[in-house]
């Protein structure tokens, strides 16, 4: 999650050098066409026929992974899949359509297996894989509804910086060669992005104006003369120094190659993207969620199903959110009363008091404070867990921090909590954020998940937002139950504000996309009912407009986990063991919530 101090500069150039003025009067560079890398889907599908079930699960998912070289690198799977790490993802419309064709073929092949003849574990894999494929194909008709470009960090022109800076390996000469190869492909990837923008506009899908304005502002510094200050270059310069097999002349060779590519290819490509965005801005709508898009309500219904992995309607989620907001606000009031805070103050005023009274961490101590919180949490895990994360977690300072990036499966790159440390921070909300992103939240669940002896698609994949984010929010609540806040009322206030934050999201996300709420209406609701500043609320509402439905998955997943745990407690009575329950949930792999309910039911029946 993110707690942004301002929304207009939330991503502040996404690691791009700031403060350089846009250069006017440059001659128009040559237009580069998007060139998709198409292959024979029939040939791939033919190679997946008549396999044993377990081999089919692995080989078919591997073929889907190979469609995304960047994902293969991110998970450290290149050696296992015998895939060179010298390609960027193909984001062309034609290539995406081919991927849908492959998913459809794999689904047909999957359904050719007799599920009843499979083992229990194979049946579980069948169900999870079937859900993944059906969900992906259900989104095919909406493939152009997702904004091709936005100001958010997942937009391709921003995501490239994170990939080259934090994900692409730079430990050997081969890594450096691959880095240069991928750098040379940015021009084509951005050409495909521009094509996707055009296709979206033809479909009637345009991002909101503020998204385009901020996206354009973020890339203003990528101009002639800026190559040496871009993260693409500076990161290479730093990491080449640690490659012992390279002498000074060889390191300089790679730097010269990178500089030439940046100046002749990458920078002109970003300039063309900037010009495209500038042309779009006057045409872009000022406000509105999914309901303004063609068939927008059905698109939003699909997104809610995709992220929550349930059939809950927008109305049901909105009502649930209102109920949860009221419940959690009442709990907050109890704590405010214990502190003697006035009854007539607003939530922003009350949390401003808590920020002062609960102590402030100087910015130069923020990272160390997070590291200490995580170390303390790891030391107390045996209170509720008998399985531990196999790898450590790093805390890395980041200008728009507040998120977790999972590591590679082999541990060569550790999972990392990217934390904001650009200013002094109120201490009261730091523990809960650390628990959510690391231990016992994302890092614990994801790193344990990655090490399981299960098919890859049950260890990886981003299809199950409610399971992953639901676990992390459940972890926030669990530590309260374990007594970790008993001597720190301010940290407990922070925990409740974060839980309230996820409840408010249910209301705001559905309000924006299904009930016709405007931007400022959503901001006002967040400020009044959550206690966030106006700027922070603006940043959050901007996020929900970019990625509709995603923010609803947190609370839905958490509530389902609590419901399933209570079912186990009620039915097992004295036989219920919290550590065993957590082991069952964590060692079953990522899955939709309906499958999780089946897993817990089988666990109960096994006693």
């Amino acid at each position: 999650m993110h707690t942004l101090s301002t929304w207009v500069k939330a991503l502040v150039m996404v690691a791009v050098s700031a403060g350089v003025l846009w250069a006017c009067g440059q001659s128009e560079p040559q237009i580069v066409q998007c060139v998709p890398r198409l292959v024979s889907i029939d040939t791939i599908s033919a190679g997946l026929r008549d396999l044993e079930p377990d081999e089919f699960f692995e080989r078919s998912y591997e073929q889907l992974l190979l469609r995304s070289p960047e994902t293969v690198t991110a998970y450290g799977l290149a050696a296992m899949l015998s895939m060179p790490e010298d390609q960027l993802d193909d984001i062309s419309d034609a290539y995406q359509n081919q991927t849908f064709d492959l998913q459809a073929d794999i689904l047909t092949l999957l359904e050719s297996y007799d599920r009843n003849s499979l083992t229990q574990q194979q049946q579980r894999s069948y169900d999870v894989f079937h859900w993944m494929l059906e969900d992906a194909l259900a989104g095919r008709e909406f493939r152009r509804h997702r904004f091709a470009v936005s100001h958010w960090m997942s937009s391709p022109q921003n995501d490239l910086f994170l990939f080259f800076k934090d994900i692409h390996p730079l430990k050997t000469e081969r890594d450096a060669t691959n880095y240069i190869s991928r750098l040379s492909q940015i021009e084509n990837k951005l050409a495909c992005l521009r094509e996707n923008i055009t296709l979206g506009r033809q479909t009637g899908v345009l991002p909101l104006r503020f998204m385009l304005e901020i996206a354009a502002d973020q890339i203003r510094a990528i101009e002639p003369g800026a190559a040496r200050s871009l993260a693409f270059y500076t990161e290479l310069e730093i990491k080449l120094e640690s490659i012992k097999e390279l002498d000074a002349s060889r390191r300089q060779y790679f730097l010269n190659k990178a500089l030439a590519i940046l100046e002749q290819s990458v920078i002109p490509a970003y300039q063309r993207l900037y010009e495209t965005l500038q042309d779009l801005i006057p045409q872009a709508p000022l406000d509105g969620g999914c309901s303004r898009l063609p068939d927008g309500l059905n698109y939003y219904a699909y997104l809610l199903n995709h992220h929550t992995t349930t059939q809950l309607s927008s109305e049901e989620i909105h009502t649930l959110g209102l109920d949860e907001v009221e419940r959690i606000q009442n709990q907050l009031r109890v704590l405010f009363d214990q502190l003697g805070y006035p009854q007539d103050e607003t939530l922003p005023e009350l949390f401003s008091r808590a920020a002062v009274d609960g102590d402030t961490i100087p910015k130069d101590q923020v990272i160390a404070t997070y590291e200490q919180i995580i170390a303390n949490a790891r030391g107390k895990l045996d209170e509720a867990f008998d399985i531990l994360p196999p790898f450590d977690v790093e805390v890395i300072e980041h200008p728009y921090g507040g998120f977790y990036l999972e590591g590679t499966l082999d541990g060569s790159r550790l999972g990392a909590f990217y934390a904001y440390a650009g200013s002094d921070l109120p201490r009261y909300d730091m523990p809960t954020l650390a628990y959510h992103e690391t231990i016992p939240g994302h890092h614990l669940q994801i790193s344990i998940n990655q090490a399981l002896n299960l098919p890859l698609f049950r260890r990886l994949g981003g299809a199950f937002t409610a399971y992953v984010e639901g676990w992390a929010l459940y972890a926030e609540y669990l530590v309260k139950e374990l007594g970790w806040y008993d001597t720190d009322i301010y940290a407990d206030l922070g925990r409740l504000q974060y839980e309230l934050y996820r409840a408010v999201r249910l209301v705001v996300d559905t309000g924006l996309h299904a009930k016709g709420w405007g931007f400022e209406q959503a901001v006002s609701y967040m400020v009044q009912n959550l206690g966030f500043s106006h700027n922070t609320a603006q940043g959050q509402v901007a996020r929900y407009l970019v990625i509709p439905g995603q923010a609803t998955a947190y609370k839905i997943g958490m509530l389902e986990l609590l419901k399933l745990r209570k079912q186990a407690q009620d039915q097992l009575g004295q036989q219920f063991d919290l550590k065993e329950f957590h082991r069952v949930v964590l060692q079953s792999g990522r899955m939709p919530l309906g499958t999780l309910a089946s897993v817990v039911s089988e666990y109960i029946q096994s006693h």
Side-chain angles (χ1 to χ4, degrees), residues 359-373 395 397 417 419-427 430:
D359 199 11
T360 299
I361 303 299
K363 65 180 182 180
D364 61 349
Q365 297 177 27
V366 165
I367 300 301
T369 300
Y370 276 128
E371 290 172 339
Q372 187 60 56
I373 292 170
V395 183
E397 183 176 350
F417 167 35
Y420 174 75
S423 63
D424 298 349
L425 295 181
R427 188 187 61 82
M430 291 178 67

Side-chain angles (χ1 to χ4, degrees), residues 200-440:
R201 180 164 56 172
Q202 292 171 354
T203 309
V205 175
L206 266 178
L208 294 176
R209 187 173 299 181
F210 80 83
M211 299 178 190
L212 297 174
E213 289 174 339
I214 301 173
D217 191 50
Q218 288 167 349
I219 61 177
R220 281 170 57 89
I222 309 176
E223 58 126 41
R228 292 179 186 274
S229 64
L230 300 180
F232 298 124
Y233 184 87
T234 58
E235 196 67 20
L236 179 65
E237 187 176 34
I238 292 169
K239 291 182 178 177
L240 284 176
E241 291 293 329
S242 65
I243 302 179
K244 302 304 182 185
E245 62 188 290
L246 297 179
D247 59 23
S249 64
R250 192 64 176 159
R251 286 195 292 270
Q252 192 59 50
Y253 164 80
F254 284 115
L255 290 174
N256 291 342
K257 291 283 287 185
L259 199 61
I261 292 169
L262 288 169
E263 291 175 341
Q264 299 167 21
S265 171
V266 174
I267 288 175
Y270 271 99
Q271 287 182 309
R272 288 190 288 274
L273 177 60
Y274 177 88
E275 291 161 3
T276 298
L277 298 182
Q278 290 293 84
D279 289 342
L280 282 179
I281 286 170
Q283 308 167 40
L286 296 174
D287 208 348
C290 286
S291 58
R292 71 176 173 83
L293 303 175
D295 201 22
L297 289 178
N298 284 331
Y299 172 53
Y300 186 54
Y302 160 72
L303 291 174
L304 289 178
N305 176 257
H306 168 75
H307 287 296
T308 70
T309 66
T310 72
Q311 296 296 323
L312 289 172
S313 69
S314 60
E315 188 61 36
E316 289 172 318
I317 292 173
H318 191 84
T319 300
L320 174 63
L322 292 171
D323 292 342
E324 283 292 288
V325 166
E326 181 179 7
R327 180 185 66 81
I328 299 167
Q329 285 179 342
N330 288 336
Q331 292 183 354
L332 278 170
R333 187 64 256 175
V334 171
L335 295 187
F336 288 135
D337 287 345
Q338 290 178 18
L339 292 170
Y341 286 4
Q343 290 271 351
D344 58 352
E345 285 191 345
T346 65
L347 278 174
E349 291 170 333
L350 291 165
F351 276 110
S352 292
R353 283 180 178 269
V356 174
D357 296 348
D359 199 11
T360 299
I361 303 299
K363 65 180 182 180
D364 61 349
Q365 297 177 27
V366 165
I367 300 301
T369 300
Y370 276 128
E371 290 172 339
Q372 187 60 56
I373 292 170
I374 294 166
N376 292 342
R378 180 180 281 274
K380 295 188 286 187
L381 281 179
D382 62 357
E383 297 175 15
F385 299 93
D386 55 13
I387 51 174
L388 300 175
F391 299 115
D392 288 333
V393 60
E394 292 183 290
V395 183
I396 299 174
E397 183 176 350
H398 202 279
Y400 60 104
F403 65 93
Y404 175 79
L405 182 66
E406 58 193 281
T408 57
L409 268 68
D410 61 4
S412 59
R413 177 175 53 78
L414 296 177
F417 167 35
Y418 286 77
Y420 174 75
S423 63
D424 298 349
L425 295 181
R427 188 187 61 82
Y428 76 87
D429 68 352
M430 291 178 67
T432 298
L433 180 57
Y435 299 147
H436 179 101
E437 303 297 347
T438 63
I439 295 171

Side-chain angles (χ1 to χ4, degrees), residues 95-115:
Y95 193 81
Q96 291 177 60
N97 268 319
Q98 268 207 340
T99 301
F100 282 122
D101 290 341
L102 178 59
Q103 289 167 333
D105 284 358
I106 291 173
L107 179 59
T108 299
L109 290 171
L110 175 66
E111 291 177 340
S112 70
Y113 291 86
D114 178 9
R115 184 185 180 280

